[in-house]
């Protein structure tokens, strides 16, 4: 569980620092789906809120994308 929380924090931090990167846009599209229209402060909050709700394999995939 601790590892998942660490990965979530790293994913959110990466997206926050790299709003224009392909990796950030890919992660947001995967996690937010139809709710995703671009990366802004609201998107980051929603990403942070939604990541803990998705399964571990999807967290791993998103983490792999940003690394």
């Amino acid at each position: 569980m601790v590892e998942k929380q660490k990965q979530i924090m790293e994913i959110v931090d990466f997206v926050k620092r790299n709003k224009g990167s392909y990796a950030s846009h890919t992660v947001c599209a995967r996690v937010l789906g139809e709710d995703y229209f671009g990366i802004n402060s609201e998107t980051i909050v929603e990403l942070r809120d939604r990541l803990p709700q998705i399964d571990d394999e999807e967290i791993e995939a998103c983490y792999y994308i940003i690394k």
Side-chain angles (χ1 to χ4, degrees):
M1 187 64 155
V2 172
E3 183 66 22
K4 181 178 179 178
Q5 291 172 340
K6 180 180 177 233
Q7 289 176 335
I8 289 170
M9 288 173 35
E10 286 190 44
I11 293 166
V12 172
D13 187 52
F14 179 90
V15 172
K16 191 184 300 183
R17 288 183 291 108
N18 302 282
K19 293 177 183 163
S21 77
Y22 181 75
S24 293
H25 287 280
T26 301
V27 166
C28 287
R30 286 181 75 131
V31 175
L32 303 177
E34 293 179 9
D35 295 339
Y36 169 68
F37 294 107
I39 300 175
N40 57 30
S41 58
E42 291 174 18
T43 306
I44 293 168
V45 169
E46 189 165 353
L47 183 67
R48 186 181 62 231
D49 292 345
R50 214 171 294 173
L51 276 168
Q53 300 170 18
I54 65 175
D55 64 59
D56 291 351
E57 288 180 12
E58 191 64 23
I59 296 287
E60 292 281 337
C62 291
Y63 187 73
Y64 179 78
I65 290 168
I66 66 149
K67 289 297 178 181

